[in-house]
Amino acid sequence: MSLNLAALEQHLTTRSYIEGYTPSQADVHVYQLLTAPEPSKYPHSARWYSHIKSYAAEHAALPGTSTAGQAFVQSASAPAPAAADDEEEVDLFADDDEEDDAEAERLKAERVAAYNAKKANKPKAAAKSVVTLEVKPWDDETDMQALEDSVRSIEQEGLVWGASKLVAVGYGIKKLQITVVVAEDELVSLDDLQEKVAEFDDYVQSSDIAAMQSKRPPISCIMVCA
């Protein structure tokens, strides 16, 4: 068995996990069949892989089943394509309808070209994402207010910091969970953002993308009839 990495990358473009909003056995199932994806080719899969890897000690205890992960598993051999007919069919009853079809196709092509030209002149609505970022401190003695202030000090076009809260991890340690609104996805790279957060190494041990929701503009459609 092997994984359909293209399908996995598409799935993780707008999701943080294989299923639901927390790590589960579906994530573990896919993780175990995968080697670390190449970040330049599969950035979302690479981000997810690193995140699930951080839960390695808890893999056996994660909830759920592996069922959802099966959707990305493909068999080693694909079915052979159906054989083409040896002889090309010949239409013995062709008539002048072909000329009418050619004219209809020409008119259709003109309408499509006119629509595309009109569409190209319209301003594009920017895609927006709402991200939940989790930042883990070194220990229970880390100044969490200073950690949050450091994170919020990161300023970038298209980046807006939202609400935050401290979430207990264990042994008296709490992690910062903060909402990030990415006003324009093209302006903000989450990988670059995490690298900037990691620069505050006096407070920050690591950071993870816990959840992400993309709000993309609606796609208008048009039907061109002959």
Side-chain angles (χ1 to χ4, degrees):
M1 293 188 299
S2 60
L3 278 177
N4 187 335
L5 255 178
L8 180 63
E9 179 68 13
Q10 174 104 18
H11 179 80
L12 293 172
T13 299
T14 57
R15 297 173 179 85
S16 298
Y17 301 102
I18 300 300
E19 182 180 37
Y21 300 98
T22 58
S24 69
Q25 289 302 317
D27 295 282
V28 175
H29 179 70
V30 176
Y31 172 85
Q32 291 176 341
L33 294 175
L34 185 66
T35 53
E38 185 179 343
S40 60
K41 190 173 182 182
Y42 303 105
H44 301 289
S45 298
R47 180 261 307 161
W48 167 86
Y49 184 89
S50 297
H51 183 51
I52 299 305
K53 184 178 181 181
S54 70
Y55 286 89
E58 305 170 42
H59 278 183
L62 291 178
T65 67
S66 63
T67 303
Q70 293 291 343
F72 305 100
V73 179
Q74 58 189 9
S75 58
S77 59
D85 293 336
D86 292 338
E87 297 183 3
E88 182 179 352
E89 293 184 4
V90 179
D91 185 0
L92 300 177
F93 303 98
D95 53 24
D96 293 340
D97 287 345
E98 292 183 359
E99 294 182 5
D100 294 338
D101 290 344
E103 178 65 14
E105 287 298 323
R106 184 184 68 78
L107 291 173
K108 182 178 178 179
E110 288 179 356
R111 292 174 182 173
V112 171
Y115 168 70
N116 287 337
K118 182 178 179 181
K119 183 179 177 182
N121 292 328
K122 290 184 177 181
K124 295 182 179 179
K128 181 171 73 172
S129 296
V130 179
V131 179
T132 300
L133 179 68
E134 291 185 344
V135 185
K136 297 178 182 177
W138 288 106
D139 51 39
D140 60 339
E141 296 182 356
T142 300
D143 186 338
M144 295 304 294
Q145 185 59 55
L147 184 151
E148 180 174 350
D149 291 343
S150 298
V151 171
R152 288 184 180 275
S153 70
I154 299 174
E155 296 181 353
Q156 185 176 344
E157 183 180 0
L159 177 69
V160 180
W161 295 106
S164 66
K165 64 179 179 179
L166 297 179
V167 179
V169 177
Y171 303 101
I173 301 174
K174 294 183 180 180
K175 63 184 176 182
L176 172 67
Q177 192 174 86
I178 186 168
T179 301
V180 187
V181 178
V182 178
E184 294 186 41
D185 288 350
E186 294 181 357
L187 296 177
V188 180
S189 164
L190 293 180
D191 289 336
D192 291 345
L193 177 60
Q194 286 187 267
E195 288 181 6
K196 291 179 180 179
V197 170
E199 291 177 3
F200 301 112
D201 52 9
D202 286 342
Y203 311 110
V204 176
Q205 181 194 57
S206 64
S207 67
D208 290 311
I209 303 299
M212 179 173 65
Q213 292 181 333
S214 291
K215 298 181 179 179
R216 300 188 177 277
I219 300 174
S220 59
C221 303
I222 186 171
M223 180 179 292
V224 181
C225 303

